[in-house]
Amino acid sequence: MSQWVSHLRAIAGPVVTAPPPVGPPASIERPFAAVVCGLSPGPPPDPMPPAEVGLWWALLQTDIEVDPLLEEPTDGSLWPHGRFTAIEVWTEAELCGLHALWGLARLRNRDDWARRAMTVRDWHLHNTQPDNATNRPWSLHVFLLGETPEAYHYAETLLHNAMVTTGRPELLSAWILLDSAKQLEAVVGR
């Protein structure tokens, strides 16, 4: 895994010349930027957005209850596909939420959330394509930690998709890669 950490840092490093973009409170960008580089998130949205945005805010505020944000799995995914308008939107929300859930499991020492993250990862390995919806490498580290040829291929495809347009990731994707490197480093360092 240490080679992956170095590889992700080498790809993202030259792009990360500014903080990640910050959107409105109900967007994923605001809590993500606060988590990965310490930008002030400002007040959380009220009401708290569901799904992946709520999970990222929970990484910032320990009083946010995570379990209500995680619906009971109907098929192994985090959220039912019918909640989202298109498969592309749903897949990106799933992978973004999985990224946050993995961090929450570690931050709050919740083995049940870590098991759920692995179950969701494995479900996506068998049911979605990494190039199905997003050019953002959400959860790349979670797939690498699967340590199977299929999981490595999924992660490699996420990385490729983040770079396919210009040969390097755009700013938000570079920050996602740096966070994946940090998450991998935390696991390797154990």
Side-chain angles (χ1 to χ4, degrees), residues 32-106:
F32 177 75
V35 168
V36 298
C37 68
L39 294 179
S40 172
D46 186 24
M48 182 57 60
E52 78 282 11
V53 177
L55 291 179
W56 279 98
W57 276 102
L59 281 162
L60 297 168
Q61 298 186 323
T62 57
D63 62 332
I64 294 174
E65 290 187 47
V66 172
D67 288 321
L69 298 170
L70 301 171
E71 293 181 15
E72 286 299 315
T74 56
D75 56 9
S77 61
L78 278 175
W79 301 290
H81 174 248
R83 251 181 100 174
F84 300 87
T85 56
I87 191 165
E88 295 83 7
V89 174
W90 171 76
T91 304
E92 183 150 354
E94 282 277 315
L95 297 183
C96 180
L98 178 58
H99 194 122
L101 181 59
W102 179 262
L104 283 164
R106 293 188 62 254

Side-chain angles (χ1 to χ4, degrees), residues 34-182:
V35 168
V36 298
C37 68
L39 294 179
S40 172
D46 186 24
M48 182 57 60
E52 78 282 11
V53 177
L55 291 179
W56 279 98
W57 276 102
L59 281 162
L60 297 168
Q61 298 186 323
T62 57
D63 62 332
I64 294 174
E65 290 187 47
V66 172
D67 288 321
L69 298 170
L70 301 171
E71 293 181 15
E72 286 299 315
T74 56
D75 56 9
S77 61
L78 278 175
W79 301 290
H81 174 248
R83 251 181 100 174
F84 300 87
T85 56
I87 191 165
E88 295 83 7
V89 174
W90 171 76
T91 304
E92 183 150 354
E94 282 277 315
L95 297 183
C96 180
L98 178 58
H99 194 122
L101 181 59
W102 179 262
L104 283 164
R106 293 188 62 254
L107 180 68
R108 297 192 189 179
N109 295 314
R110 291 286 301 263
D111 290 337
D112 57 331
W113 294 345
R115 284 189 303 275
R116 176 84 185 269
M118 290 181 279
T119 298
V120 170
R121 174 201 62 211
D122 294 344
W123 186 87
H124 279 285
L125 284 173
H126 299 289
N127 293 282
T128 63
Q129 296 180 29
D131 58 353
N132 193 19
T134 182
N135 288 336
R136 298 215 168 110
W138 294 112
S139 298
L140 187 136
H141 59 290
V142 180
F143 288 98
L144 287 173
L145 292 168
E147 299 189 79
T148 66
E150 295 83 8
Y152 289 140
H153 177 70
Y154 204 101
E156 290 165 352
T157 304
L158 288 171
L159 180 59
H160 171 77
N161 292 345
M163 298 172 49
V164 72
T165 304
T166 63
R168 62 188 216 159
E170 46 84 34
L171 185 60
L172 179 59
S173 292
W175 277 102
I176 294 167
L177 291 172
L178 282 180
D179 190 58
S180 284
K182 177 182 162 186

